[in-house]
Amino acid sequence: MNLFKSHAKNYSFQDLGIFLLPAFTIYALFVLAPVFLSFRNSFYYWDSPLSEARFCALQNFRLLFRDPVFWSALRHNFFLLFGSLLFQLPLALGLALLLNYPTWGRGFLRTAFFTPMIIPSSATAVLWQYIYEPQSGLLSALIRIFRPDFAYAWLSSPGSSLFWIFISISWQYIGFHTVLFMAGLSSIPEELYEAARLDGASEWQICRRIVLPCIRPTLGVSATLSIIGSLKYFDLVYLMGGGLPDSSREVLATYIYRLAFDENQGRYGYGSSAAVLLFILALIIVIPLQARKNQV
Amino acid sequence: MNTKKLSAAFVIRHLLLAVFLLLTLYPLFWLSLCAFRSEGDALQRPLGLPAQWTLANLREVLHSGNFAQAYLNSLLVCVVAVLICITCATMAAYAFARFNFRGKNWLYMLFLLGLMIPVHVTLIPLNQLLGADMLRLKGGLAALIGPYAGFGLPVSILILRRAFEALPAELLDAAALDGCSNLQVFWHVGLPLAKPALNTVLIFNFLTMWNEYAFALTLLGPGRQTVPLAISEFKGEFDLRITVVCAALLLVMIPLICVYACAQKQIIRGLTAGAIK
């Protein structure tokens, strides 16, 4: 009976249309078609919204590879990427491990750590711009307690501003990863810890031999999300990097945006070729990760 | 001896957590205080309690900003986009979970590909497309609805498909045997049972759309604002007046924080639901 049922076709052609067509139409129109058009645009010389686009084959890409701003933007993306993998994730994991023991106000702490995630990033950007205000900002004011007359333009020195922006991005996301890790940790059965303690394992050994292997899947998810996230990061870098010279304030997404939409720019073709490279980069980096995960 | 050692670890652990709690919440606390300071106070002694509490900043925001309009705009866009997105996503997810048609995996992968597509790849073409003759949506609030719904689909379908697959198939089959059409089974049996997942998807989409910045920045015409856009433009206008901008930020964050305080569990679950193994 069961065998028979599983082979039975439980839908008609019409059903497929009713159930799938609305989603597919919207997805095709607003996600797939634009991606396709981006690919097409990237082969065109098209320097203002008003002018006619002219086919130029790979010229845009050739220019892009010689464009110092593009390379610095790419470097900045990788700075964000490694920063989030080497700073945000370990810190979040540490917090989650601390919270894994019986803790006062555990629920409250979890909620509090997660708070920055629900605030619009444009509000976060404004908040941190004031924190980094050279004179009256929070950070300068705090340092003035120890060193009177201290003032520092955190966000307008080309060399280090991206680092300070990265700190505020971390403020946004560490709580998010902490919550993910907490969920991963809570799925480890209590008996495992107890058995290990009975066998005389130290906390450090428990952490290395039990906890870390058990939350490897969660680590993978967090890492993948961080990688995708830092490749397509836009908001805070765009909002906080305003006053800097071009090459020190861009990541790929902001560069694409500025090429196309900043005043006096409108370089749709060139911007599209940068967008295409961003997309391909995301695929190249993420697909092997996903494939490996499916194998395990 | 043992308890003493334990309690030392206990104290250190709580100290570390307290430090991080401070790092997370103090900026928000500082901003809230700043909203009630006088301007001179904010410049001269930015730390500590305000020398004199004042409501002048909040009043000025209410008079000069158009946050009320921005709120309405955001609400309108988000509600419509969420409804469209969820309706389409639930139906598609149901089909993916229940029907075995040819090319199903390919189609599903195509939808999941959306998780990896940076929205910025689509900004330029969407700007073209929405201004095209057929749609003529450029600059208006309606321009945001399509992209928001479209980019909400992948995660929603992913979550909902899992929810539908977790339902006992016998239940749905029984309804079908009793003569319900697939649409009826979906509506009367599938949907009510998938309600927790629906809530999750609803919260996820609503918050992501509510806080979305890049599309709003690109696709809205002058004078049209959603809340995130209104904040950054307000900052541009009142840049040097910290206290007023902080008051605006406070007004934007209070409703969010209130909602968050009431429904933290659901919201945390909603926002982390996309992160499934």
Side-chain angles (χ1 to χ4, degrees):
Chain A
M1 181 68 194
N2 229 342
L3 246 177
F4 171 74
K5 221 164 61 182
S6 67
H7 284 280
K9 195 176 151 190
N10 57 356
Y11 61 92
S12 64
F13 188 67
Q14 219 183 353
D15 281 331
L16 282 189
I18 295 174
F19 278 95
L20 286 167
L21 216 52
F24 186 74
T25 314
I26 290 185
Y27 188 66
L29 202 58
F30 295 104
V31 180
L32 296 179
V35 171
F36 175 77
L37 281 175
S38 254
F39 272 88
R40 189 183 151 277
N41 285 344
S42 67
F43 298 114
Y44 281 78
Y45 178 83
W46 187 15
D47 243 7
S48 101
L50 300 173
S51 71
E52 199 68 20
R54 195 153 41 75
F55 185 77
C56 66
L58 292 174
Q59 191 59 32
N60 282 331
F61 292 97
R62 233 170 274 144
L63 281 176
L64 206 56
F65 284 129
R66 267 184 266 136
D67 180 348
V69 183
F70 169 76
W71 287 110
S72 69
L74 193 63
R75 248 199 334 272
H76 295 157
N77 274 108
F78 277 96
F79 169 71
L80 291 185
L81 196 157
F82 287 114
S84 55
L85 289 183
L86 300 178
F87 176 72
Q88 288 174 14
L89 295 194
L91 204 58
L93 182 60
L95 286 172
L97 285 173
L98 289 180
L99 285 166
N100 199 32
Y101 296 96
T103 305
W104 285 341
R106 188 169 180 274
F108 169 75
L109 286 172
R110 186 176 102 117
T111 308
F113 291 163
F114 197 79
T115 317
M117 276 300 288
I118 61 152
I119 297 168
S121 44
S122 69
T124 306
V126 176
L127 168 63
W128 280 85
Q129 274 168 312
Y130 284 138
I131 289 177
Y132 289 138
E133 182 84 2
Q135 289 286 341
S136 54
L138 177 58
L139 205 52
S140 290
L142 282 175
I143 294 178
R144 259 205 305 278
I145 296 178
F146 307 104
R147 282 180 54 192
D149 303 328
F150 180 86
Y152 179 66
W154 305 92
L155 287 179
S156 36
S157 59
S160 61
S161 62
L162 193 74
F163 174 77
W164 299 113
I165 295 176
F166 168 73
I167 295 292
S168 38
I169 299 175
S170 306
W171 181 78
Q172 252 184 323
Y173 283 101
I174 284 178
F176 174 76
H177 292 294
T178 307
V179 168
L180 289 188
F181 288 139
M182 284 173 78
L185 288 174
S186 69
S187 66
I188 302 175
E190 193 62 34
E191 294 83 40
L192 272 184
Y193 296 116
E194 279 165 20
R197 285 204 185 100
L198 277 181
D199 289 346
S202 69
E203 289 299 313
W204 171 243
Q205 281 172 321
I206 292 178
C207 184
R208 270 212 41 206
R209 309 278 170 182
I210 297 180
V211 175
L212 285 184
C214 281
I215 60 162
R216 255 194 61 194
T218 318
L219 272 172
V221 172
S222 265
T224 312
L225 285 178
S226 296
I227 291 171
I228 302 179
S230 24
L231 285 179
K232 61 186 188 187
Y233 201 79
F234 177 83
D235 295 3
L236 291 198
V237 176
Y238 177 78
L239 284 157
M240 296 172 74
L244 295 162
D246 271 356
S247 55
S248 63
R249 68 171 171 179
E250 306 287 20
V251 287
L252 282 178
T254 61
Y255 192 43
I256 295 168
Y257 178 84
R258 285 212 179 85
L259 280 176
F261 301 111
D262 247 17
E263 284 169 79
N264 315 325
Q265 292 254 26
R267 303 174 69 182
Y268 283 8
Y270 194 55
S272 293
S273 59
V276 163
L277 284 185
L278 169 59
F279 179 53
I280 294 175
L281 193 67
L283 287 187
I284 291 178
I285 296 185
V286 175
I287 283 183
L289 282 176
Q290 295 290 340
R292 233 188 87 217
K293 208 166 63 198
N294 289 341
Q295 268 174 20
V296 173
Chain B
M1 182 64 193
N2 200 8
T3 47
K4 215 172 181 182
K5 206 168 140 198
L6 202 90
S7 71
F10 186 83
V11 170
I12 292 173
R13 213 151 43 71
H14 281 75
L15 269 178
L16 287 175
L17 287 169
V19 167
F20 196 76
L21 182 71
L22 202 68
L23 288 176
T24 312
L25 292 189
Y26 186 62
L28 296 172
F29 182 65
W30 177 74
L31 157 122
S32 317
L33 285 183
C34 201
F36 296 105
R37 289 178 200 281
S38 69
E39 235 150 300
D41 193 26
L43 293 178
Q44 267 134 41
R45 30 187 303 277
L47 300 174
L49 293 175
Q52 201 166 18
W53 295 74
T54 167
L55 290 176
N57 303 314
L58 286 168
R59 227 175 283 132
E60 186 161 351
V61 175
L62 291 177
H63 283 302
S64 57
N66 37 5
F67 278 96
Q69 185 63 46
Y71 258 101
L72 274 180
N73 291 349
S74 275
L75 207 59
L76 194 73
V77 171
C78 292
V79 168
V80 177
V82 164
L83 281 181
I84 295 178
C85 173
I86 291 199
T87 315
C88 297
T90 351
M91 298 188 73
Y94 185 80
F96 281 124
R98 286 276 293 165
F99 309 153
N100 281 313
F101 50 91
R102 270 184 53 190
K104 168 164 135 171
N105 286 333
W106 282 106
L107 191 60
Y108 188 61
M109 289 308 274
L110 194 65
F111 274 112
L112 288 197
L113 187 69
L115 293 174
M116 277 183 267
I117 298 177
V119 298
H120 312 90
V121 174
T122 65
L123 287 178
I124 295 171
L126 275 175
N127 203 38
Q128 271 173 276
L129 209 65
L130 294 169
D133 294 338
M134 191 178 68
L135 288 164
R136 288 200 177 282
L137 289 170
K138 204 170 176 176
L141 286 176
L144 292 179
I145 292 173
Y148 280 8
F151 273 95
L153 282 174
V155 181
S156 313
I157 292 179
L158 178 77
I159 297 171
L160 288 165
R161 178 182 178 175
R162 278 164 186 259
F164 282 127
E165 276 174 349
L167 299 181
E170 292 82 12
L171 215 62
L172 302 170
D173 290 339
L177 279 179
D178 286 345
C180 287
S181 71
N182 269 317
L183 214 53
Q184 284 169 319
V185 178
F186 165 73
W187 185 255
H188 293 295
V189 187
L191 263 193
L193 288 175
K195 220 170 145 193
L198 270 179
N199 278 334
T200 305
V201 171
L202 188 109
I203 290 173
F204 173 84
N205 280 310
F206 194 88
L207 267 176
T208 340
M209 292 175 193
W210 186 267
N211 292 342
E212 202 282 333
Y213 182 72
F215 276 133
L217 178 69
T218 316
L219 300 177
L220 290 183
R224 293 260 159 73
Q225 293 175 331
T226 56
V227 173
L229 205 57
I231 302 168
S232 62
E233 291 192 4
F234 192 83
K235 161 82 161 59
E237 211 174 313
F238 288 80
D239 195 14
L240 295 176
R241 306 187 54 197
I242 287 197
T243 55
V244 182
V245 181
C246 282
L249 281 182
L250 191 64
L251 280 182
V252 165
M253 288 187 334
I254 283 176
L256 278 174
I257 301 239
C258 287
V259 174
Y260 181 55
C262 297
Q264 8 147 339
K265 279 222 177 82
Q266 290 84 335
I267 289 180
I268 293 182
R269 197 192 306 129
L271 282 180
T272 49
I276 334 180
K277 283 147 240 166

